[in-house]
């Protein structure tokens, strides 16, 4: 069993029980981690709270240098971390390598920002007495970071780096099914000499340790990424204690393909956006709306591109021109995607590619394209967290925008066009927290990212991501006469 990390020490937890970590491609047990309890959560939060006393006083430059040291160690262990991610998550080596690259980029971004946090000076009226005001920016205390299973490392980085660089301490709760690489990263932070207790990792099931973590009196800030259903539950738990929250939740991003689009580029972008990580993306086109005029051409290009995707073991390269796609992360996820697809077909959708169930080991699903399912079908209304691409024909931009907005979600959206009026309308009228023009959906570290509607609220990435880990405190300085 690989222990969790509390106050700089590995521990098997108060109960001493374990949870198996399974390779989704082979269904074999890779390792196990402790099944955390409320007592472990309490120990981790107390350790983080004790560490906060000194950590908040450290120089921002020293904090940045520690993070840079940890980044160098991640670079050193890049291969091992990549393979660890491949085995516990299921994604192919290229994608796992891409995730580590994105993690490192994000950590560097916040190491650079650590020394650039500024407050302000404000002259004040002297009617009461002569005084001026300052707005200083203080860390908040202990942060709880709850991370999902699809991008365990980048979504760890988007919380850990701004939290620590702002001077907070942290307790991380990785998904029960993807704790191993997170524990390795936390170990590297310790090797880089982050003080014990600044970073803690609690393993176990969200349903068992989640409530204790979110409601703990000493947790001041909860950074959650995961499904909308669990997000709602966490918001309810946090409300009585008025925790500051960021809610990065589910999505069902629309993609509009206009008649003037570069169809080849659109097909390529849509395929990457939908089938990367075997479709287990928060961002990523999950509903495609294509103008009548270019529908046949796009479908033909997409079918050709997606036909190259070949499900298989993440550590085995596909032979060109095939492109490797890994398994879904869990058996439940696989069964859910088949159920959503069946519903789409029952509702009049036409199967263009894939759709057949696979026998054998591993939670593999064949990349699938379905056209024009009913507008109230599950693939239109819900998040589809797997390699199924539904496509609808539309007659004009009004219809495309109306259908794009006909969803409870509002995470991302994109349009393929070179027409400035179309771009302007999509930028202003489609309800989503982030939009792309002629590009697949990618979360840049430099830009604030977060959803609207049932995709949540609050921002990660960018300067704004750091702001969510700081408290603005006004100080009035008098006695000047
Ligand atoms: P879940 O919501 O099932 O789980 C997310 C995290 O919450 C896991 O660590 C989970 O732990 C934990 N959790 C579960 N129950 C509780 C609880 N009662 N209290 C506290 N924590 C709990 O999501 P998935 O891991 O399945 O990830 C997929 C979802 O995440 C999709 O909806 C996807 O769109 C969304 N997502 C959103 C992103 C965004 O930026 N908006 C980015 C990436 C993903 P455990 O695993 O132990 O159950």
């Amino acid at each position: 069993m690989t222990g969790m990390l509390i106050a700089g020490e590995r521990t098997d937890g108060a109960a001493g029980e374990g949870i198996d970590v399974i390779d989704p491609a082979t269904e074999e047990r890779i390792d196990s981690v402790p099944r955390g309890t409320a007592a472990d959560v309490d120990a981790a939060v107390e350790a983080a709270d004790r560490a906060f006393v000194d950590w908040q006083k450290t120089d921002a430059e020293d904090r940045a240098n520690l993070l840079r040291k940890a980044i160098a160690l991640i670079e050193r262990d890049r291969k091992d971390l990549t393979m660890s991610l491949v085995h516990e998550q299921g994604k192919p080596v290229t994608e796992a390598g891409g995730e580590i690259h994105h993690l490192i980029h994000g950590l560097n971004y916040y190491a650079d920002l650590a020394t650039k946090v500024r407050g302000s000076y404000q002259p004040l009226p002297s009617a009461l007495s002569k005084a001026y005001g300052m707005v200083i920016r203080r860390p908040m205390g202990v942060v709880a970071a709850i991370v999902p299973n699809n991008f365990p490392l980048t979504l760890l980085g988007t919380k850990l780096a701004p939290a620590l660089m702002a001077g907070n301490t942290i307790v991380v709760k990785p998904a029960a099914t993807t704790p191993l690489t997170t524990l390795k990263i936390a170990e590297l932070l310790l090797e880089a000499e982050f003080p014990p207790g600044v970073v803690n990792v609690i393993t176990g099931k969200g349903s068992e340790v989640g409530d204790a973590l979110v409601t703990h009196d000493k947790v001041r800030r909860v950074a959650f990424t995961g499904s909308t259903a669990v997000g709602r539950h966490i918001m309810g738990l946090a409300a009585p204690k008025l925790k500051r929250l960021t809610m990065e939740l589910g999505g069902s991003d629309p993609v509009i393909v206009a008649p003037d689009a570069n169809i080849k580029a659109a097909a390529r972008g849509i395929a990457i956006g939908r089938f990367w990580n075997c479709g287990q993306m928060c961002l990523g086109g999950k509903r495609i709306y294509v103008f009548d005029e270019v529908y046949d051409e796009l479908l033909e290009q997409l079918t050709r591109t997606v036909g190259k995707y070949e499900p298989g073991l993440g550590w085995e390269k596909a032979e060109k021109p095939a492109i490797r796609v890994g398994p879904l992360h869990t058996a439940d996820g696989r069964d859910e995607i088949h159920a959503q697809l069946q519903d789409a077909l029952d509702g009049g959708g036409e199967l263009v590619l894939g759709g057949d169930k696979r026998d054998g080991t591993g939670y593999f699903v064949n990349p699938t394209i379905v056209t024009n399912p009913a507008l109230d079908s599950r693939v239109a209304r819900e998040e589809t967290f797997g390699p199924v691409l539904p496509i609808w024909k539309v007659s004009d931009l009004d219809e495309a925008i109306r259908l794009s907005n006909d969803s409870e979600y509002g995470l991302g959206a994109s349009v393929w066009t070179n027409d400035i009026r179309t771009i302007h309308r999509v930028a202003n009228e489609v309800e989503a927290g982030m939009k792309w023009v002629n590009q697949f959906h990618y979360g840049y570290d430099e830009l604030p990212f977060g959803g609207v509607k049932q995709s949540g609220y609050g921002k990660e990435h960018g300067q704004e991501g750091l702001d969510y880990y700081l408290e603005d405190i006004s100080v009035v300085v008098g006695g000047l006469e």
Side-chain angles (χ1 to χ4, degrees), residues 8 39 42 73-74 77 93 106 133 175 179 190 198-199 218 224 261-262 286 335 391 403 411 458:
D42 189 52
L73 297 173
I74 294 172
D77 290 359
V93 169
L190 278 184
V198 169
V199 179
K218 289 185 175 164
F224 175 75
N262 176 337
K286 295 175 186 159
D335 297 345
I391 304 176
L403 292 176
L411 197 56

Side-chain angles (χ1 to χ4, degrees), residues 18 29 60 86 124 141 143 179 213 220 265 313 336 344 375 394 425 431 438:
R29 176 186 174 281
V86 168
L124 295 173
V143 172
L213 184 57
R220 299 282 293 277
L313 302 173
E336 180 72 355
L375 291 175
V394 295
R425 283 199 62 193
E431 299 162 349
N438 299 327

Side-chain angles (χ1 to χ4, degrees), residues 19 145-151 155 159 173-178 204-214 224-231 233-234 237 247-251 280-283 286 329 383 385 409 411 449-451 455-456 460-461:
I19 304 179
I146 303 178
V147 183
N149 63 45
N150 60 339
F151 291 97
L155 295 168
K159 296 164 183 59
K173 209 308 268 168
T177 49
T178 52
K205 294 188 188 265
S207 53
E208 293 172 3
V209 290
D211 291 18
L213 184 57
V214 172
F224 175 75
T225 302
S227 61
T228 297
V230 175
H233 171 75
I234 287 176
L237 288 177
M247 289 276 135
E248 303 288 348
L249 309 180
Q280 300 160 111
M281 311 273 285
C282 53
L283 292 172
K286 295 175 186 159
H329 181 60
E383 174 172 43
F385 213 56
Y409 293 108
L411 197 56
F449 162 66
S455 292
E460 290 197 330
H461 301 222

Side-chain angles (χ1 to χ4, degrees), residues 389-405:
L389 181 67
I391 304 176
W392 288 268
K393 196 187 272 190
V394 295
S395 52
D396 58 27
L397 191 56
D398 286 337
E399 186 185 11
I401 292 177
R402 182 173 55 76
L403 292 176
S404 293
N405 289 340

Side-chain angles (χ1 to χ4, degrees), residues 175-385:
T177 49
T178 52
L180 297 174
T181 323
T182 301
L183 284 166
K184 286 176 193 275
I185 301 274
E187 196 72 60
L188 294 177
L189 290 167
L190 278 184
E191 191 181 334
E193 292 181 287
F194 273 84
V198 169
V199 179
N200 308 273
V201 180
I202 287 282
T203 57
K205 294 188 188 265
S207 53
E208 293 172 3
V209 290
D211 291 18
L213 184 57
V214 172
T215 57
H216 198 292
D217 281 333
K218 289 185 175 164
V219 168
R220 299 282 293 277
R221 161 84 168 88
V222 178
F224 175 75
T225 302
S227 61
T228 297
V230 175
R232 287 186 184 121
H233 171 75
I234 287 176
M235 234 180 124
L237 288 177
K241 302 217 168 153
L242 300 176
K243 314 275 186 196
R244 188 191 288 184
L245 304 175
T246 40
M247 289 276 135
E248 303 288 348
L249 309 180
S252 180
D253 294 5
V255 177
I256 298 173
V257 184
D260 69 313
N262 176 337
I263 298 300
K264 199 170 169 200
R268 190 170 166 271
I270 290 167
I272 295 172
R274 177 70 282 210
F275 297 99
W276 191 265
N277 210 30
C278 196
Q280 300 160 111
M281 311 273 285
C282 53
L283 292 172
K286 295 175 186 159
R287 294 176 291 137
I288 315 298
Y289 301 113
V290 190
F291 279 62
D292 212 345
E293 298 92 314
V294 287
Y295 180 86
D296 288 341
E297 189 186 348
L298 182 82
L299 193 58
E300 195 260 320
Q301 294 261 5
L302 260 174
T303 310
R304 196 170 335 132
T305 306
V306 178
K308 292 182 193 159
Y309 283 95
E310 185 182 272
L313 302 173
W315 53 95
E316 280 180 4
K317 269 198 168 170
E319 254 183 59
K320 277 188 178 169
I323 303 164
R324 176 60 77 235
V325 56
L328 278 181
H329 181 60
T330 62
D332 284 351
R334 175 197 56 196
D335 297 345
E336 180 72 355
I337 207 79
H338 279 304
Q340 287 175 315
L341 175 63
Q342 191 54 54
D343 174 79
L345 299 176
D346 293 345
E350 192 182 324
L351 195 61
V352 176
L353 190 77
D356 45 325
K357 287 193 181 168
R358 295 171 63 98
D359 297 327
T361 313
Y363 314 135
F364 294 98
V365 173
N366 289 325
T368 297
I369 297 178
V370 58
T371 51
N372 300 302
L375 291 175
D376 62 353
S377 62
R378 294 185 62 192
V379 293
R381 314 293 325 158
E382 302 173 1
E383 174 172 43
T384 44
F385 213 56

